[in-house]
Amino acid sequence: MTPHDAVGLALDLARQPGLELPIAAVVVDAHGQVLGTGVNLREHDSDPTAHAEILALREAGHRRGDWRLTGCTLAVTLEPCTMCAGASVLARVDRLVFGAFDDKAGGVGGLWDVVRDPRLNHQVEVVAGIREAECAALLSDFFRGRR
């Protein structure tokens, strides 16, 4: 599955009506099979860790029967925060692809670069800015409607 297609799957999830935020994540294996999906549920679950990426990684781990997600790609509509970037390192994902950059909280190059820190025991390949305009517009439109 191409990075464009993987972010497209995340965009499809993020476009669902009634979401807390239009942010979604998908974990796909090396064969392009979807192992996990997630949308932000922090408010719904009263859980500060219920970010789209964390939920997608958890589902993928359960589905695979292993917390090690070697060979997998995590695709997200928005650059992951430091918590989610760290989780992708700990899960041993091979690649992280994302759409829009997050200059205020990004943990994959925007503000920090957790996933490529050479001091860690695993580094994640990053493909950034995939379908960036679509992902950014989705967020902009959402927040414009809230003001």
Side-chain angles (χ1 to χ4, degrees), residues 8-9 11 13 29 49 54-55 64 67 76-77 83 89 96 103 110-111 114 120 134 140-142:
L9 291 174
L11 270 166
L13 284 173
D29 68 13
T49 68
I54 300 295
L55 300 176
R64 191 177 248 196
W67 61 267
V76 192
T77 54
M83 175 183 68
V89 170
L96 170 64
D103 297 333
L111 192 55
V114 173
L120 298 176
E134 287 176 82
S140 295
D141 293 346
F142 175 83

Side-chain angles (χ1 to χ4, degrees), residues 8-123:
L9 291 174
L11 270 166
D12 290 343
L13 284 173
R15 289 184 178 119
Q16 295 177 79
L19 295 180
E20 293 176 10
L21 290 170
I23 299 170
V26 177
V27 176
V28 295
D29 68 13
H31 305 292
Q33 178 183 354
V34 175
L35 298 178
T37 62
V39 296
N40 278 25
L41 295 174
R42 291 184 308 170
E43 298 296 331
H44 180 270
D45 292 354
S46 299
D47 180 355
T49 68
H51 289 205
E53 301 92 329
I54 300 295
L55 300 176
L57 290 167
R58 283 180 186 161
E59 184 178 338
H62 287 293
R63 231 170 169 188
R64 191 177 248 196
D66 191 351
W67 61 267
R68 292 172 196 85
L69 298 176
T70 305
C72 292
T73 296
L74 173 63
V76 192
T77 54
L78 179 66
E79 178 184 355
C81 69
T82 56
M83 175 183 68
C84 295
S88 69
V89 170
L90 293 173
R92 310 293 195 271
V93 298
D94 286 359
R95 182 168 59 167
L96 170 64
V97 298
F98 68 87
F101 287 85
D102 186 349
D103 297 333
K104 294 179 182 174
V108 187
L111 192 55
W112 292 283
D113 198 354
V114 173
V115 298
R116 292 176 283 207
D117 190 319
R119 296 171 294 179
L120 298 176
N121 65 344
H122 177 77
Q123 286 79 45

